[in-house]
Amino acid sequence: MTPATDLSRRAVILIGSAGTAAVLAGCSTESSAGVEAGGQTAASAGAPQEVAKLADIPVGGSISATLEGKPILVSQPTEGSVIAFSAICTHQGCVVKPGGSEFDCPCHQSRFNGATGEVLDGPAPSPLEKIAVHVTGGVVLTSRR
Ligand code: FES
């Protein structure tokens, strides 16, 4: 065997090893994505998810929270009654913030009713999207969709 042949053979072995590692890494990544997709599928199927603790929401006010990685607003207009909304502004998609008994968009100053999500003022063309929730044992959970 010549040195050149020997070198080529080693190169093939090294490339083969790297290729195997890349394939294994690829499989690993795909597996992780599959798990995540499975989790989202379960959530989309309607499994209740905790969005907040009732005690953390001021009566007559609201808090920011997240649901499936998306910003939401959770209000308690009267003691024990809870309602939730997407925090994505219906004007141009900014994240709307709690503001006492209403919600305020920091981008163009749209204001929304904290109990209904209806537009009070500003350029937003429509109410915030409602999210069905209920309270069980002091925990705010999404309702089955
Ligand atoms: Fe909310 Fe413009 S994005 S008012």
Side-chain angles (χ1 to χ4, degrees):
M1 187 179 305
T2 65
T5 305
D6 190 40
L7 182 60
S8 296
R9 194 169 166 196
R10 281 187 193 168
V12 168
I13 291 169
L14 287 174
I15 290 169
S17 298
T20 302
V23 168
L24 289 174
C27 287
S28 175
T29 302
E30 286 176 25
S31 294
S32 296
V35 169
E36 281 180 29
Q40 289 175 351
T41 300
S44 300
Q49 295 182 53
E50 179 176 334
V51 296
K53 304 263 190 257
L54 182 62
D56 294 337
I57 310 166
V59 175
S62 59
I63 61 169
S64 295
T66 57
L67 177 61
E68 296 176 348
K70 296 178 184 144
I72 65 170
L73 297 156
V74 188
S75 295
Q76 187 173 193
T78 59
E79 189 166 350
S81 73
V82 174
I83 188 163
F85 304 91
S86 165
I88 303 300
C89 184
T90 56
H91 179 226
Q92 290 183 357
C94 288
V95 177
V96 177
K97 306 290 182 193
S101 63
E102 60 185 52
F103 306 130
D104 301 319
C105 183
C107 292
H108 312 102
Q109 288 69 52
S110 281
R111 295 169 41 241
F112 301 86
N113 183 306
T116 65
E118 296 291 325
V119 178
L120 297 174
D121 193 18
S126 53
L128 295 175
E129 179 187 346
K130 283 186 183 169
I131 297 169
V133 293
H134 64 279
V135 180
T136 301
V139 177
V140 181
L141 299 165
T142 55
S143 299
R144 293 187 77 83
R145 287 172 261 171

